[in-house]
Amino acid sequence: MRAGLAELDMLRGFAERLRNAGHGEKDGIVAEATHWLGCSAPTFYRRLREIGAAKERKLRSDKGDSKISYDELLTLSTLWSGAGCRRVNGKWLGSVDDAIDMALSNGWLTTRISGATALRLFTQYDLHRKQVGAPRPHTQLQSLHPNHVWQVDPSICIVYYSQRDGVRVLDERQFYKNKPDYVAKMTPLRVWRYVQTDHYSGSIYARYFEALGENQAVLFQFLMSAMLPTNAAHIMRGVPYCLIWDKGSANTSHGIQELLTALQVRHWAHTQGNSRAKGQVENGNNIVETRFESRLAFTRVPTVEQLNERLDDWLIAQNACAIHSRHGHTRYGLWQTVQASQLRNRPDEQICRELLTSKPEPRTVRGDLTVQWQGRTYGVDHVPDIRVGEVLQVVVNAYRAPAICIVREDAEGKTRFHVCEPQETNAAGFSVLAPIIGEAYAAKPDTGADKARKAQNQLAYGTADSGEVEKLRAKGVPAHEGRFDVWKDIAAKAAAAPQHIARRGTDLHVPNPVQVELKPLSLVEALRALREWLGRPISSPERELVAEWYPQGVPETDLGEIVNRLSQPAQEERPRLALVR
């Protein structure tokens, strides 16, 4: 029941008194309010809430705190939503309660929490299954022009072909992943759908092939058809600059890779599981399957060749009439904006077949910055950062034979093709561009190594001229003279080296040591050696003592002992005391 103005003022007054009431005063205010309003205490509080005058409940001071730490929560999440908890088909394994029990039993949790609390904390810290299982953010990439980037993807079809029934659509009730034997009984061959899209315009090209699986021959046939369709109504043609596909066995085969390299096509396979990298062609496969193959349920097509004829008509209609959602034009309409310099015509198919078996050949850069290939000389001085002695990878130029291409990677890891024309020679075999002796001289431009060498010379000797540097070195002038202390780092290390305690060793006991007998020195030889040891002449008494001690010659090993005895003559001549009885 809606309160009147008088009652509304009274409720607001009591609400104000309750907000300002001290400890133990609220019960009296509530009793007074129920007396004047003629209602119970719950009804009084309900009326306060209705007019928005009820006092908000004070939040707990520990709201949001948890009994477990983030590290424990993160560890627990690995048992419920981490790697290995989800199958490829997207099905999650295990429950949150099981994860809590396993974590507690292994000591990963210090205290038990409820499943509801765990789910709430998972959500709070982005550890919930729905959060970690969400797709990663992606960046939309752009291509520059038609034929800049193509995407190719083969896919097995729900279509099969038999000589008796022709092309038919498989019954999903009999053909699915758990019953592959059904198809094997019907025909050993399957129908494969190969789809190619132009990333810039979105134009689609497709072909059906009857084969056991992906193979190099079928992929080669498809690429030849996509680059130069037999049906002139397909206006998309030419050789792309880049090609993206998955890591299929045919895609990564040696022959196909060498063909694309020779055609100067940068090609790479996207990371496994990252189908978004070629999402356009994946969508193209879906368009062909849902828009074209859906019509096969209502008709009969005798052969795969006739199936491709029907596909041609549908592709032309789709590309020429349907409006693309991204650019707002038809696919063929935008592809027609290709420039002549961007449209590279495919070489003859026979040449392309030969390129299947060819591969880049190594050639060493000679001193005059040329390479030899198939009996011709090619100048490579225009190739960036070229060096004498460098080994280059050379392939035939399929578009401008007998020109060749140098295949290199730039600083960013991108494959670059550098076209080199053969040098014309005269009757004597000299290049017609070579300077004539005595009339002209033309030095080759500095390579990167030349520039680096000159910079080193300038820094070390003050001149970039190699001849001047050799003269300075011949005079014994050291590099960086007066500006470089070659021993400074050694002195610093020696000063900072830790002081080690000398370790006590163990005498080696040799039971039968080898005795080496040396010829003793004559008295004259011994006195000459002693004079050098003592650094003074030998006196006559000392001479007589040595002769008395060693009448048969002086062993060389005793020289040190003799020096000690001669250095203390007083002790040696001291008379001995004897006991007299």
Side-chain angles (χ1 to χ4, degrees):
M1 183 177 67
R2 179 174 295 180
L5 293 178
E7 183 179 353
L8 185 61
D9 290 340
M10 188 178 297
L11 287 170
R12 289 175 176 170
F14 282 119
E16 181 67 23
R17 291 175 60 187
L18 285 174
R19 282 193 290 268
N20 299 325
H23 180 69
E25 298 178 355
K26 295 182 180 180
D27 291 341
I29 298 174
V30 172
E32 181 181 354
T34 55
H35 171 73
W36 285 104
L37 295 173
C39 63
S40 62
T43 302
F44 167 65
Y45 281 113
R46 178 174 57 80
R47 291 183 178 180
L48 290 179
R49 289 194 297 272
E50 290 176 352
I51 66 173
K55 185 178 181 180
E56 295 182 359
R57 185 174 182 180
K58 185 178 181 181
L59 296 177
R60 289 171 44 187
S61 59
D62 61 348
K63 180 182 178 182
D65 295 343
S66 174
K67 293 183 291 185
I68 65 173
S69 64
Y70 174 78
D71 292 338
E72 291 179 307
L73 187 67
L74 179 61
T75 305
L76 176 62
S77 70
T78 62
L79 304 176
W80 184 68
S81 60
C85 299
R86 191 180 189 181
R87 290 181 175 173
V88 177
N89 61 4
K91 184 176 182 180
W92 288 97
L93 306 176
S95 68
V96 66
D97 293 326
D98 291 339
I100 294 173
D101 291 339
M102 289 188 293
L104 283 170
S105 63
N106 285 273
W108 290 4
L109 286 180
T110 56
T111 182
R112 176 177 288 277
I113 59 174
S114 66
T117 300
L119 293 176
R120 175 177 57 81
L121 293 175
F122 286 155
T123 303
Q124 179 180 348
Y125 292 103
D126 294 331
L127 297 173
H128 196 279
R129 284 178 171 179
K130 295 181 179 179
Q131 296 167 321
V132 298
R136 295 184 59 186
H138 65 276
T139 301
Q140 185 179 22
L141 303 178
Q142 66 168 330
S143 49
L144 301 178
H145 53 77
N147 281 15
H148 178 210
V149 178
W150 279 9
Q151 296 180 3
V152 173
D153 184 46
S155 177
I156 196 167
C157 299
I158 60 172
V159 175
Y160 77 93
Y161 170 75
S162 67
Q163 294 181 351
R164 184 187 65 182
D165 301 324
V167 177
R168 289 184 53 189
V169 179
L170 294 173
D171 188 348
E172 288 184 301
R173 293 172 297 178
Q174 295 175 305
F175 168 65
Y176 59 97
K177 62 180 180 179
N178 294 329
K179 290 187 178 181
D181 294 339
Y182 172 71
V183 178
K185 292 178 181 178
M186 299 177 62
T187 173
L189 299 178
R190 295 300 309 276
V191 177
W192 287 78
R193 181 199 319 114
Y194 278 71
V195 177
Q196 167 262 322
T197 60
D198 174 62
H199 186 265
Y200 186 82
S201 63
S203 299
I204 303 173
Y205 183 79
R207 267 292 175 273
Y208 289 102
F209 297 93
E210 187 180 11
L212 292 172
E214 296 184 60
N215 60 74
Q216 178 176 291
V218 172
L219 180 57
F220 174 79
Q221 188 177 351
F222 174 71
L223 290 176
M224 293 297 99
S225 176
M227 294 176 183
L228 186 60
T230 55
N231 191 332
H234 288 294
I235 67 170
M236 180 175 61
R237 60 183 176 85
V239 180
Y241 290 80
C242 303
L243 188 62
I244 304 175
W245 46 22
D246 56 21
K247 295 184 178 180
S249 58
N251 304 347
T252 56
S253 64
H254 170 78
I256 293 296
Q257 293 193 36
E258 299 304 336
L259 167 66
L260 295 177
T261 300
L263 293 177
Q264 303 176 34
V265 179
R266 292 182 57 216
H267 53 93
W268 64 88
H270 65 76
T271 306
Q272 185 176 1
N274 183 26
S275 59
R276 188 181 293 277
K278 58 177 181 62
Q280 185 188 66
V281 73
E282 298 279 358
N283 185 55
N285 255 311
N286 181 65
I287 292 175
V288 175
E289 180 178 358
T290 58
R291 302 287 298 278
F292 172 72
E293 294 179 6
S294 61
R295 298 171 181 265
L296 300 179
F298 306 100
T299 186
R300 288 183 179 272
V301 181
T303 63
V304 176
E305 289 75 14
Q306 293 182 1
L307 178 63
N308 280 322
E309 292 177 3
R310 300 288 185 271
L311 177 62
D312 276 340
D313 295 337
W314 180 85
L315 286 173
I316 293 170
Q318 177 72 16
N319 289 320
C321 301
I323 301 299
H324 196 285
S325 60
R326 170 166 51 83
H327 50 70
H329 306 281
T330 63
R331 292 171 170 83
Y332 277 175
L334 187 61
W335 190 92
Q336 284 184 315
T337 61
V338 63
Q339 303 295 318
S341 60
Q342 300 165 351
L343 179 55
R344 304 187 298 177
N345 294 323
R346 191 206 75 186
D348 184 74
E349 184 172 335
Q350 183 58 34
I351 296 178
C352 293
R353 288 187 182 276
E354 295 176 0
L355 295 177
L356 276 174
T357 59
S358 66
K359 63 180 181 179
E361 298 182 16
R363 290 293 184 272
T364 303
V365 180
R366 302 193 301 181
D368 57 350
L369 296 182
T370 62
V371 295
Q372 291 288 120
W373 193 76
Q374 294 187 355
R376 296 175 180 267
T377 302
Y378 295 83
V380 295
D381 50 352
H382 64 286
V383 178
D385 301 326
I386 197 68
R387 296 184 298 275
V388 174
E390 181 181 358
V391 178
L392 302 178
Q393 298 299 319
V394 179
V395 296
V396 63
N397 190 317
Y399 307 101
R400 298 172 56 180
I404 63 173
C405 285
I406 306 298
V407 184
R408 301 182 82 197
E409 289 189 356
D410 60 13
E412 299 178 357
K414 297 181 180 179
T415 303
R416 300 295 183 190
F417 299 89
H418 304 277
V419 179
C420 301
E421 299 287 348
Q423 292 184 351
E424 296 183 20
T425 57
N426 56 23
F430 295 113
S431 172
V432 296
L433 301 178
I436 300 175
I437 297 176
E439 295 185 10
Y441 176 77
K444 290 289 185 180
D446 287 343
T447 64
D450 295 331
K451 295 177 182 178
R453 181 168 52 251
K454 289 183 178 181
Q456 290 176 344
N457 290 339
Q458 184 66 42
L459 184 62
Y461 292 95
T463 176
D465 190 342
S466 297
E468 294 296 329
V469 171
E470 290 301 324
K471 292 179 181 179
L472 292 175
R473 294 184 61 186
K475 295 178 180 179
V477 178
H480 303 283
E481 184 179 14
R483 295 182 292 110
F484 184 73
D485 186 356
V486 71
W487 307 111
K488 189 173 184 179
D489 60 323
I490 299 298
K493 291 179 181 179
Q499 299 296 323
H500 299 285
I501 300 175
R503 296 294 182 181
R504 185 190 312 174
T506 302
D507 294 336
L508 180 64
H509 175 67
V510 181
N512 297 308
V514 178
Q515 301 294 331
V516 179
E517 298 291 341
L518 298 178
K519 180 181 179 180
L521 302 175
S522 64
L523 180 61
V524 175
E525 293 174 338
L527 293 176
R528 187 182 299 115
L530 290 173
R531 184 177 59 187
E532 294 179 359
W533 277 55
L534 293 171
R536 60 178 177 80
I538 305 299
S539 63
S540 296
E542 291 175 336
R543 175 188 177 92
E544 296 175 358
L545 285 175
V546 174
E548 180 183 352
W549 294 336
Y550 298 96
Q552 303 298 328
V554 181
E556 189 174 355
T557 55
D558 289 359
L559 290 176
E561 181 181 354
I562 296 174
V563 169
N564 292 334
R565 296 176 67 180
L566 292 178
S567 299
Q568 300 176 352
Q571 296 181 5
E572 292 290 340
E573 301 300 330
R574 183 179 298 171
R576 298 181 179 180
L577 298 179
L579 179 63
V580 180
R581 295 184 179 180

